[in-house]
Amino acid sequence: MIDTLVSSIDHLRAARVRHMSCYWRATADIPATLYPYWKRTAHYEFKGIPRGAFFFARATEGLLNFFDCVRTSGKPCALPSAAADSVWHAWAKMAPASLDAFCIKHFGRTIPHLEKAEMGARMDGALANCIAVARQLRGDDPAGRSLPRLFALDASLAMPNGYGYRLVQGQVGCQRLDQQGRAEGMLFYPVGLSAAVDVDQHGRSKHDGSGCGVMSSSEAGGCDGGSSCGSGCGGD
């Protein structure tokens, strides 16, 4: 009885996320089979990940926000959320053709999921590109010091082994999250986020790199030891 009530509340919260999201039209085209598939399989790759409908809805909204950043930027972008990445991985494994068709319909192009090695040196600016465009999509100054919701997603969901971004005296820092989704270790300041972001008259970041695509956070370096937080994006 209690489990049924908890599940009902979870699904109601998920429905509210979808209804309130600016991507609510796009979510109607997400395959109904994706959530059950993600629920069955995501924990094999993303250890300890919650499997509720609300978590999935928030993670999916984050992924769509990232796809929007890729489309808007025209430059490589880095995905700063392991939670969003878990949905991307599941969809790409379950129905890659469906994912490509969805991206073409709602974001104007396919968005390739590339390995860290394929990003090369472009990965350094990809995170800065993403945060600049994520700010722009919210109506904020692309070169400002706000923390977009996409960058706060893992911490807000307590994503096990995710990425915890936060503002410290106007600078964006990152800590890895532990198995319980809590920040641990030293706070690292990614170079691209600590430096001023240069944008053109259209609000697009001018960091080097051509084309755009994406790479998963699970393949990127962590916050430790000066490596990048989040992940990168590949090129056309």
Side-chain angles (χ1 to χ4, degrees), residues 18-84:
R18 293 189 294 270
H19 177 72
M20 299 296 293
S21 175
C22 61
Y23 303 106
W24 64 270
R25 288 188 177 87
T27 60
D29 289 333
I30 293 175
T33 53
L34 180 57
Y35 172 56
Y37 181 84
W38 171 89
K39 187 175 182 178
R40 290 195 311 271
T41 63
H43 65 282
Y44 292 117
E45 183 177 1
F46 298 85
K47 305 299 183 183
I49 189 171
R51 305 185 210 181
F54 173 76
F55 185 101
F56 175 79
R58 286 285 311 279
T60 301
E61 181 185 42
L63 180 61
L64 300 189
N65 187 191
F66 178 64
F67 287 167
D68 207 359
C69 289
V70 172
R71 171 181 63 178
T72 304
S73 176
K75 297 282 187 178
C77 290
L79 176 58
S81 168

Side-chain angles (χ1 to χ4, degrees), residues 2 6-7 24 35 39-40 43 59 62 71 97-98 100 112 124 131 139 146 148 155 165 188 225 229 231 234 236:
I2 294 178
V6 170
S7 178
W24 64 270
Y35 172 56
K39 187 175 182 178
R40 290 195 311 271
H43 65 282
R71 171 181 63 178
S98 164
D100 286 346
D124 289 341
I131 197 169
S146 62
Y165 291 88
F188 170 65
C229 283
S231 71
D236 287 331

